[in-house]
Amino acid sequence: MGNHKSNLSKKYLIFVFFGSFILAVLFSVASEALTRIVNSVLISFIGLLTIILIGILADIIGTAVTAAQEAPFHAKAAKRVSGAKEGVFLLRNADKVANITNDVIGDIVNTVSGALGISIVVKIIMNNPGVDAAVANILITAFIASITVSGKALGKTVALERCNDVIFFVGRILAYWEKLTGCSVGKKNRARS
């Protein structure tokens, strides 16, 4: 697994605390709005699958960043390949990136998908009064768990086998974001390197 050092600080932990709180509120508000506005169980399921997919993608990034190596990114950065410098930044901050993607986003997504699952059960029972609430709840919970676990298992395989490709792809997205908005991700760290 890469040669990454931990550089967590109190400032970062405070950032994670408040960032987690804000993300949890945003995800919860979005899922709550989805369940209140949309009466269709099918559309609610699509929203649920989207939220689970976000968690799986975040887990792939978090796993890949702990396994990838810097050397290929330095070679690409020397050739001024878009996304290479951002890849180096991600790898030099692997502990933070993995924490944010696997723990912050992953845990929030798990909590929100569970809450959204309960809302879907309520909708199913309201639309079909003859359905047993306990059975519906067990089936939806099992569905969420099985999709999440199997998706993350597949994602980890991809992340470990193609870790450099995953990080390079994320680096290219960050480079595009920087070009589009002018907001640089991790400029301080890149300036030191």
Side-chain angles (χ1 to χ4, degrees), residues 1-87:
M1 299 285 224
N3 299 326
H4 309 295
K5 296 179 183 176
S6 177
N7 54 356
L8 294 179
S9 65
K10 288 180 185 176
K11 184 178 175 182
Y12 172 74
L13 293 174
I14 291 169
F15 165 77
V16 167
F17 176 83
F18 287 108
S20 299
F21 183 83
I22 291 167
L23 281 175
V25 168
L26 292 175
F27 271 100
S28 296
V29 166
S31 68
E32 184 67 26
L34 176 70
T35 56
R36 285 180 187 255
I37 294 169
V38 177
N39 289 327
S40 168
V41 173
L42 177 64
I43 294 174
S44 295
F45 259 107
I46 292 169
L48 173 64
L49 290 174
T50 302
I51 289 172
I52 292 171
L53 181 63
I54 290 169
I56 292 168
L57 292 174
D59 194 66
I60 290 170
I61 295 167
T63 302
V65 79
T66 60
Q69 297 293 322
E70 275 189 45
F73 291 92
H74 287 294
K76 288 178 183 177
K79 295 176 185 174
R80 298 189 184 276
V81 176
S82 177
K85 287 182 182 179
E86 289 76 10

